[in-house]
Amino acid sequence: MLSGLTVSERQLSLVVLGLLAVCGLAMIGAGRNDDALGTHGFIVLGVSLGLTFLVISRYFDPEPSQERLSEYYDDPTRAGIILAMVWAVIGMFVGVWVAALLAWPDLTFDAAWASFGRLRPVHTNGVIFGFGGNALIATSLHVLQRTSRARLPDQFSPWFVLIGYNLFCIIAASGYLMGLTQSKEYAEPEWYADIWLVIVWVVYFLIYIRTLQRRKEPHIYVANWYYMAFILVVAVLHIVNNLALPVSLGHAKSYSVFSGVQDAMVQWWYGHNAVAFFLTAGFLGMLYYYLPKRAERPIFSYRLSIISFWGITFMYMWAGSHHLHYTALPQWVQTLGMTFSVVLLVPSWASAGNALATLNGAWHRVRDDATLRFMMVAAVFYGISTFEGSFMAIRAVNSLSHYTDWTVGHVHAGALGWVAMITFGSFYALVPWMWKQGRMYSPKLVEVHFWFALAGTVIYVFAMWNSGIIQGLMWRTYNDSGTLAYSFIDSLVAMHPYYIARTVGGLFFLIGAVVGAYNIAMTIRMARAAKVREEAGTDVPLPRPVATAMQAGE
Amino acid sequence: MDVDHDSLVAFAKSWGLFYLIALAAGVLVYVFWPSNRKRFDRAKKSILDKDDRPGE
C-alpha cells in the first residue's frame, strides 16, 4: 500500500510522523507526574516510530506509475473496511461484557479497569467511533470518487485521516481503561485527543472539498451532501462541546468552560447531534448510494431526498434539549426541543419511505439477496426508531421513559437495526467490488449473519422495552399512604431476567459480526489467491472451488 | 452587551420562525425549479453506470 505513495508524499509522511513523534515525547515529558498523559505519550511515540520504519522500508520502492491517475484510489477504503470490522468485533465484545456485568456484577474480577464505568465508554466509543467512524471514512471516500468521477486529490491525506482517526480511537479507549474521562457522553476523550481529532477532521473535510472541485459530474450527488453535513457539523459540535481548560499543560484532566445548565445544554446539543450527524447523516449517505446501486434501480424520488436532507440538517440542530426535560433548563427551551423532535419525523420518514419505495418492484431481489435485505431492514429500523425517538421526546412520554432502559432500547434499535445493518449491507456490496471478486466468499454466511443480526436486535430491543417500561412504572407507583410503592432495589430485581435476555441478544449480534468479519477476511484471501495465480501464470492446479453446496463423495 | 432572557426568547420565537420558513421555501423552489429537473434526473441515473474509472 505504501508503494502507492509518490516519493514526495513519502517524504511528507516522514516529516509528519517526525512531528508526531516529537508530540509523543513532549507528552511523555509533560506527563511525568501524570500516568495517563505519559502512557498516551508512549502510545503516540510508538505508533509514529512504527509507521516511520514502515515508510523507510518502502522508501526506495519505484514510484507509482502515471496510469494510477486513470483509476480511483481505493487503498484507504480497503484498509478502512478492515479496521471497521476489527473495531466492530472489539466494541461489540465489550458491549456483551458490560451487558453481562449488569446481570452478573462479579464479572469485574476486582480489577479497576474492568469496572462498568470504564468498560461502558470503551463499548460506546468502540462501536460508534471505531466501527461506525471507520465505516463512514471508508465508504465516504469510495462514494465521493464514484459520484464525482474524480480520483482523490492525493495519496497522503486519506491515510493521514484514516490512521490519525484510529490513533484518536486508541487514545480514547485506552484512556477510559485508565479511568480518564471528561464525563461528557460520547465526548469522553480529554483535551489533547480532542485537539488531535480537530486536525484530522479538517484534513478529512479538505479531501472532500478538493475532490468535489475536480468533479466531472455537473451535480453533486445527494449522498455527498449527507457525508459533507456529517463531516462539517461533527467538526462544529466537537469543537464547541470540548471547549475546556486543562488543569495544566502537563496534566490529562481538563474542565469544561461551561458550567451548570449551560454545560448540560451544550453537551446534549452535541450529544443529540452526534446521533443526528454521526449516526444518521453519514449513514444516510451510505443508504442513498449503496441501496440504489445494489438494487440496480435509481432512487425513487431524487427531489424528496434533497428535501429530507435540508429538513434533517436544519431541524436536528434544535432537538437536543429533549434530553433535559424536567431539569433546570428553561421550559420554553425544553418545549422547543420537543417540538422540533416531533417535526423531525417528517424528513426522517421521507428518507425511510424513499428507500423502501426504491425497492418496490425489486422485492424478489430483497428475498434472494441477504445484502439487499440488510439495507431494507436498516431502512425499516430507521423508520421505527425515528418514530420512537419523536414519541419519546414528548415531555409526558419522557417522564415515563427517561432514565430507564427504554432509552437504551431506543438507542440500540437505531444503532443495531439501522446503523450496523446499513453498514453491513454496504460492506457486503462494497467488499467484492473493492477486492475485484464476483461475490463474497460465502453468500450463505451473509445469510447466517443477517439472521443472527436480526434475531439479536429483536431480542435486545424487546428486552429493553419491557424492562424500561416496568422500571418507569415501578418508579412512579405510589401506595395508599402516598409514598413510593417500590424501592430502587425492587426494580433492579425485576430487571434481572431482561438483563440476561439483552446479553443473549447482544451475543447473537456479536456472533453475526464475527461471521461477517470471517467472511470478509476469506474474500480478501480469495482475492490474494487469485492474484498469485495470475502472477504465476496458468501452470498451477485449479484450487478447490469454494462451493457452498456439498459435492458428491464429500 | 447584556442579553436578558426575555429578549432572547423573543428573538428565537420570531426570527427563528422566519428563517426556517425562508429556508423551507428556498429548498422547495430549488427542488422544483424546472431547469433543475435535467441535472437531478442525470444524477439519479448516472450512479448506476457500470464504468468504474474517473472521468477524462
Side-chain angles (χ1 to χ4, degrees):
Chain A
M1 285 186 201
L2 272 165
S3 41
L5 269 62
T6 62
V7 170
S8 59
E9 283 171 336
R10 291 173 205 171
Q11 288 161 349
L12 179 60
S13 328
L14 289 178
V15 172
V16 170
L17 287 169
L19 288 174
L20 197 62
V22 171
C23 289
L25 279 174
M27 284 164 76
I28 296 171
R32 279 186 316 277
N33 308 317
D34 184 280
D35 277 338
L37 189 62
T39 311
H40 279 157
F42 278 110
I43 293 178
V44 172
L45 186 65
V47 168
S48 43
L49 287 185
L51 289 170
T52 304
F53 282 119
L54 211 63
V55 175
I56 290 175
S57 73
R58 293 279 169 179
Y59 189 81
F60 293 106
D61 279 11
E63 273 217 323
S65 68
Q66 284 299 312
E67 279 165 35
R68 74 174 193 277
L69 297 178
S70 62
E71 281 174 10
Y72 294 118
Y73 189 49
D74 291 328
D75 284 348
T77 300
R78 284 187 270 265
I81 293 171
I82 297 169
L83 285 166
M85 291 311 291
V86 171
W87 277 106
V89 173
I90 297 173
M92 288 172 197
F93 171 75
V94 180
V96 176
W97 187 355
V98 288
L101 266 177
L102 287 170
W104 302 285
D106 291 336
L107 285 172
T108 53
F109 316 114
D110 278 339
W113 64 267
S115 56
F116 182 83
R118 294 191 186 186
L119 286 179
R120 181 183 172 273
V122 176
H123 162 60
T124 54
N125 284 234
V127 290
I128 298 173
F129 298 124
F131 170 53
N134 274 305
L136 286 169
I137 293 174
T139 56
S140 67
L141 296 179
H142 175 254
V143 172
L144 169 66
Q145 296 183 85
R146 285 351 184 249
T147 51
S148 359
R149 288 187 205 282
R151 184 182 157 95
L152 294 178
D154 66 319
Q155 282 92 212
F156 170 75
S157 49
W159 285 113
F160 177 79
V161 170
L162 188 69
I163 296 172
Y165 180 74
N166 279 280
L167 180 62
F168 165 80
C169 293
I170 291 170
I171 295 279
S174 57
Y176 308 148
L177 294 178
M178 293 187 282
L180 191 64
T181 171
Q182 272 191 150
S183 310
K184 285 189 164 222
E185 184 137 39
Y186 314 132
E188 293 94 342
E190 275 294 352
W191 59 277
Y192 48 94
D194 292 335
I195 293 172
W196 173 243
L197 185 63
V198 172
I199 298 170
V200 170
W201 220 245
V202 169
V203 176
Y204 188 18
F205 191 66
L206 287 177
I207 293 179
Y208 240 87
I209 297 295
R210 285 157 72 208
T211 311
L212 286 176
Q213 272 177 341
R214 298 162 50 251
R215 72 179 189 276
K216 299 293 187 307
E217 283 286 320
H219 175 76
I220 301 173
Y221 187 65
V222 70
N224 286 321
W225 301 22
Y226 280 100
Y227 279 122
M228 282 222 285
F230 144 64
I231 303 170
L232 190 65
V233 178
V234 166
V236 174
L237 299 167
H238 174 76
I239 291 171
V240 175
N241 190 39
N242 286 303
L243 289 175
L245 288 174
V247 174
S248 75
L249 282 178
H251 206 290
K253 184 73 198 135
S254 68
Y255 290 92
S256 174
V257 299
F258 306 106
S259 60
V261 76
Q262 279 89 356
D263 189 32
M265 185 61 249
V266 171
Q267 157 59 24
W268 284 109
W269 167 75
Y270 165 87
H272 198 74
N273 282 307
V275 175
F277 288 92
F278 206 100
L279 294 176
T280 304
F283 292 91
L284 280 171
M286 260 185 224
L287 179 87
Y288 277 116
Y289 183 74
Y290 292 105
L291 184 127
K293 197 80 187 164
R294 186 73 182 185
E296 293 178 1
R297 296 166 66 83
I299 193 79
F300 169 70
S301 166
Y302 192 78
R303 286 172 168 164
L304 189 58
S305 73
I306 298 178
I307 296 175
S308 34
F309 171 78
W310 289 107
I312 279 180
T313 313
F314 277 81
M315 284 193 249
Y316 253 120
M317 274 293 159
W318 304 98
S321 54
H322 71 226
H323 287 256
L324 298 165
H325 280 325
Y326 302 100
T327 64
L329 195 73
Q331 183 85 353
W332 72 273
V333 185
Q334 298 177 25
T335 309
L336 182 84
M338 174 177 100
T339 315
F340 270 98
S341 307
V342 173
V343 181
L344 254 176
L345 189 60
V346 176
S348 303
W349 273 27
S351 283
N354 210 348
L356 293 177
T358 304
L359 294 174
N360 207 6
W363 292 113
H364 59 287
R365 304 192 54 160
V366 177
R367 185 192 61 208
D368 297 335
D369 180 10
T371 305
L372 197 55
R373 213 178 315 128
F374 262 115
M375 301 184 196
M376 188 276 285
V377 169
V380 171
F381 268 100
Y382 180 62
I384 295 174
S385 50
T386 47
F387 172 76
E388 191 186 24
S390 298
F391 183 61
M392 288 167 80
I394 298 168
R395 199 185 278 110
V397 181
N398 204 264
S399 72
L400 177 68
S401 76
H402 204 178
Y403 308 117
T404 73
D405 289 334
W406 189 356
T407 306
V408 184
H410 166 62
V411 169
H412 283 83
L416 304 178
W418 154 240
V419 172
M421 294 277 191
I422 189 66
T423 305
F424 289 136
S426 305
F427 274 9
Y428 285 132
L430 183 55
V431 164
W433 190 347
M434 286 289 93
W435 275 275
K436 300 190 171 55
Q437 297 299 300
R439 56 168 174 79
M440 288 296 297
Y441 163 71
S442 162
K444 274 247 170 73
L445 287 181
V446 180
E447 197 73 44
V448 169
H449 181 182
F450 173 79
W451 288 108
F452 265 112
L454 183 60
T457 307
V458 170
I459 296 172
Y460 191 106
V461 171
F462 271 89
M464 290 295 97
W465 276 341
N466 277 306
S467 132
I469 289 172
I470 293 173
Q471 242 177 346
L473 291 175
M474 285 177 88
W475 292 346
R476 56 154 62 177
T477 305
Y478 293 87
N479 57 25
D480 291 339
S481 52
T483 56
L484 285 170
Y486 301 98
S487 68
F488 184 73
I489 201 80
D490 287 335
S491 70
L492 269 185
V493 172
M495 292 313 95
H496 195 242
Y498 299 111
Y499 284 170
I500 295 173
R502 76 117 77 107
T503 311
V504 172
L507 185 65
F508 273 38
F509 205 84
L510 170 67
I511 293 171
V514 171
V515 170
Y518 171 77
N519 204 355
I520 290 173
M522 292 307 283
T523 312
I524 296 171
R525 251 183 79 170
M526 211 161 83
R528 292 225 171 114
K531 204 172 165 197
V532 169
R533 260 201 319 282
E534 216 171 78
E535 281 162 7
T538 48
D539 193 21
V540 282
L542 275 176
R544 204 171 65 87
V546 270
T548 43
M550 295 290 268
Q551 291 173 351
E554 257 187 280
Chain B
M1 195 180 85
D2 210 23
V3 186
D4 68 343
H5 178 76
D6 287 330
S7 48
L8 197 67
V9 173
F11 181 80
K13 284 182 175 174
S14 54
W15 291 106
L17 179 72
F18 292 144
Y19 107 86
L20 279 172
I21 291 178
L23 181 97
V27 171
L28 288 174
V29 167
Y30 169 71
V31 163
F32 289 105
W33 200 259
S35 63
N36 281 339
R37 173 191 280 272
K38 243 172 79 185
R39 7 177 37 188
F40 292 162
D41 277 344
R42 182 190 153 94
K44 179 173 167 171
K45 299 215 173 72
S46 68
I47 64 157
L48 299 176
D49 197 345
K50 300 266 187 216
D51 182 33
D52 200 27
R53 275 179 190 282
E56 291 307 314

